[in-house]
Amino acid sequence: MTANSNPEVGLSIVAAGIRTNYHDLNSSAPGVPLLLIHGSGPGVSAFANWRLVMPKFAETRRVIAPDMVGFGFTDRPVDHQYTLDHWVSHAIGLLDALKLPQVDLVGNSFGGALSLALAIRHPKRVRRLVLMGAAGVHFELTPALDAVWGYQPSFESMRRMMDLFAYDRSLVNDELAQLRYQASIRPGFQESFSAMFPVPRQRSIDALASPEADIAQLAHQTLVIHGREDQVIPLATSLKLAQLIPNAQLHVFGKCGHWTQIEHSARFARLVTNFLQEAA
């Protein structure tokens, strides 16, 4: 597959000094754009994470989905330090490069931690916030997250890992596992991924967490979403976020693992769209 035929490769822009791959749907739509920040699985990209819901969101608004530095087809600078500060700076750099004063923000898992930190540090750049299966608060490392962050490339490892993500096993087959395995071994992908979350991995969870006092001061209307059967990020994290954030509402999907946007894509898209349209 060539880059030109790969749907994971979108547009390119320099954000915070980093050549960044991003998708930009319905770019002429009026109103506040929607920024989607993906999770941290091996070989992940914005397109792989959001492919089922991006077209639905783009029916009514501009949708922007970048590969965060270290992931997908965004550049991987030599000796780059993969920290929460640098990821937030990269996201703000993208908004600046696209000349976007404000966005609605949806963050998935690792991307939820980034989105939470961005809203706390740059509150005027975010109108409404959606946190889906989000990290961003302290929790004990789960065996599933340990397996995800400790992934060593092989088809068998990817197949086992994908079973950890989905409640509905019919969504996980050998073809999909092979595609994600091939994505994980593209040049530079595993090298940057393995540098992000080294052992002891509890330290990485805590490094992605925002201070609870800061979370409690967050003024944004916030929708917190979680899959009840999530093995990767425990439901308790979203319960804590919903308790801490003053203007939060919580939606829990039953019979759902860590892939809310895939396992319940139509419901997820409607829920988020309705929540964001309230602000209009």
Side-chain angles (χ1 to χ4, degrees), residues 100-124:
L100 299 177
Q102 190 178 61
V103 293
D104 287 329
L105 184 55
V106 180
N108 169 213
S109 191
F110 152 87
L114 269 59
S115 298
L116 181 65
L118 192 157
I120 289 169
R121 300 176 189 192
H122 304 274
K124 293 183 180 179

Side-chain angles (χ1 to χ4, degrees), residues 58-114:
E59 290 175 2
T60 57
R61 63 192 308 155
R62 183 179 183 182
V63 178
I64 299 160
D67 290 347
M68 299 306 297
V69 60
F71 294 97
F73 293 87
T74 288
D75 280 356
R76 294 164 166 78
V78 176
D79 297 326
H80 185 81
Q81 297 298 308
Y82 294 107
T83 67
L84 183 62
D85 288 346
H86 288 161
W87 276 310
V88 171
S89 295
H90 183 215
I92 289 295
L94 178 66
L95 298 187
D96 290 344
L98 293 173
K99 297 180 171 57
L100 299 177
Q102 190 178 61
V103 293
D104 287 329
L105 184 55
V106 180
N108 169 213
S109 191
F110 152 87
L114 269 59

